[in-house]
């Protein structure tokens, strides 16, 4: 373990304390909900602080950063790719990260096929996937908008043709307005729940829900989320893109 990047004692305490606060809140709302620690832009030594406590699920947004971290960190980490998926990067994702647990941002049939085919050629383990749904309909957000495109990608994922991907569920981000509104229900999360129910019935599935971040994970769990992705509440504020 000493060969891995290590945090200072002070930083380790801070991270563990932050994580535990979030974890306790998640547990109190639903002990079955799983917490993904989103470590983008944060050093590998931060990840090791949590790793030393037995935490294994981490989320990253950038392929190059993820490849770098996966190389220098333990191989039993479960990496979740949660960033915008680019066609040109699906091959690297598949081939350069053996312990890739999931890709949560599948937003087209084309990229879905590329990811499967790259994995098939390299004979790696099966990758879990979530379909990203653009529930808020905002232009700057990725994700499926059209129901027929969703049907088509599910049919592909269920087919013999697709051997290396396992459809785990649906992911959404939702709008900032919904995440900060005082409404009883987040309407974007509700859309994801309704879609899950519809797809479960049509395709005989039991899709998991992946929604909720630092601002709104409590609400997401109340609305049934199986996974939450929490970054800044654990690791602290991130530098903005311009500062990097
Ligand atoms: C960065 C990011 C997160 C974590 O966001 P925080 O608000 O820092 O908790 C979650 N999901 C996605 C898709 C992200 O890009």
């Amino acid at each position: 373990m000493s060969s891995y990047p290590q945090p200072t004692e002070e930083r380790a305490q801070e991270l563990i304390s932050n994580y535990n606060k979030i974890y306790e809140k998640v547990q109190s709302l639903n002990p079955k909900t799983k917490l993904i620690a989103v470590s983008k832009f944060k050093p590998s030594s931060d990840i090791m602080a949590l790793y030393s406590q037995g935490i294994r699920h981490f989320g990253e947004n950038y392929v190059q950063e993820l490849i770098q971290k996966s190389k220098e960190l333990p191989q039993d980490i479960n990496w979740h790719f949660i960033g915008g998926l680019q066609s040109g990067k699906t091959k690297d994702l598949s081939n350069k990260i053996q312990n890739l647990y999931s890709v949560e941002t599948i937003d087209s049939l084309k990229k879905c096929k590329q990811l499967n085919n790259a994995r098939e050629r390299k004979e790696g383990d099966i990758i879990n996937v979530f379909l990203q749904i653009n529930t808020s309909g905002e232009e700057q957000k990725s994700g499926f908008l059209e129901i027929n495109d969703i049907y088509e990608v599910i049919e592909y994922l269920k087919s013999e043709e697709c051997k290396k991907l396992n459809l785990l569920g649906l992911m959404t981000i939702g709008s900032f307005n919904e995440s900060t509104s005082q409404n009883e229900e987040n309407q974007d999360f509700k859309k994801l729940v309704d879609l899950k129910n519809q797809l479960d019935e049509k395709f005989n599935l039991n899709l998991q829900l992946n929604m909720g971040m630092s601002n709104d994970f409590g609400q997401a769990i109340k609305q049934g989320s199986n996974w939450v992705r929490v970054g800044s509440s654990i690791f602290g504020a991130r530098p903005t893109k311009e500062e990097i």
Side-chain angles (χ1 to χ4, degrees):
M1 193 126 136
S2 56
S3 63
Y4 297 116
Q6 294 299 325
T8 64
E9 183 61 26
E10 194 188 0
R11 178 65 174 154
Q13 289 310 322
E14 182 186 15
L15 288 165
I16 293 163
S17 158
N18 290 348
Y19 181 92
N20 285 342
K21 272 184 214 139
I22 304 293
Y23 182 73
E24 276 159 29
K25 181 160 183 208
V26 170
Q27 285 282 302
S28 72
L29 288 167
N30 184 347
K32 287 193 177 145
T33 304
K34 292 184 271 292
L35 173 58
I36 303 163
V38 175
S39 46
K40 61 175 175 247
F41 298 156
K42 297 293 173 177
S44 287
S45 55
D46 275 6
I47 295 174
M48 284 310 294
L50 299 179
Y51 181 89
S52 74
Q53 304 298 297
I55 294 147
R56 294 292 180 270
H57 288 270
F58 293 93
E60 288 284 340
N61 286 60
Y62 301 94
V63 175
Q64 280 319 309
E65 184 179 350
L66 174 52
I67 290 170
Q68 184 57 36
K69 284 174 172 169
S70 74
K71 267 191 209 152
E72 63 188 26
L73 288 166
Q75 289 304 300
D76 63 344
I77 286 178
N78 293 302
W79 292 111
H80 296 245
F81 182 76
I82 65 170
L85 193 58
Q86 292 168 283
S87 261
K89 296 283 172 67
T90 51
K91 199 169 149 199
D92 277 354
L93 256 187
S94 155
N95 296 356
K96 298 192 174 166
I97 304 140
Q98 287 311 307
N99 49 331
L100 184 63
Y101 178 85
S102 66
V103 174
E104 318 206 330
T105 46
I106 298 287
D107 61 356
S108 79
L109 178 61
K110 179 181 165 205
K111 289 179 238 178
C112 190
K113 285 184 174 176
Q114 285 175 336
L115 189 66
N116 175 71
N117 295 345
R119 245 312 136 115
E120 225 177 285
R121 280 193 294 273
K122 277 274 178 173
E123 299 194 351
D125 292 340
I126 282 173
I127 305 169
N128 295 304
V129 295
F130 290 86
L131 306 180
Q132 181 174 359
I133 310 296
N134 187 353
T135 50
S136 57
E138 294 164 288
E139 236 173 73
Q140 73 273 23
K141 291 240 160 65
S142 308
F144 286 100
L145 277 166
E146 298 294 333
I147 192 73
N148 287 327
D149 295 341
I150 299 172
Y151 291 162
E152 193 180 34
V153 77
I154 293 178
E155 269 152 19
Y156 167 72
L157 283 158
K158 283 172 68 94
S159 74
E160 282 293 306
E161 203 187 323
C162 179
K163 296 192 172 63
K164 289 293 182 181
L165 305 181
N166 173 46
L167 174 60
L168 211 52
L170 306 178
M171 178 276 213
T172 200
I173 296 176
S175 70
F176 181 75
N177 277 349
E178 279 297 323
S179 91
T180 50
S181 88
Q182 299 302 313
N183 294 340
E184 199 118 307
E185 276 195 324
N186 178 314
Q187 294 305 308
D188 294 331
F189 294 166
K190 182 173 188 300
K191 275 185 209 154
L192 201 70
V193 174
D194 291 346
L195 180 62
K196 167 203 151 51
N197 291 333
Q198 184 199 336
L199 296 172
D200 278 357
E201 173 140 351
K202 181 175 169 73
F203 292 99
N204 191 24
L205 298 166
N206 186 13
L207 295 168
Q208 299 182 15
L209 296 168
N210 185 329
M211 55 193 197
M213 325 200 319
S214 288
N215 266 337
D216 53 16
F217 73 89
Q219 185 58 36
I221 296 171
K222 287 180 194 153
Q223 290 181 236
S225 198
N226 304 90
W227 297 85
V228 291
R229 311 175 306 272
V230 178
S232 43
S233 296
I234 298 172
F235 295 95
R238 289 178 293 271
T240 62
K241 272 234 139 171
E242 295 73 41
E243 287 166 340
I244 291 205

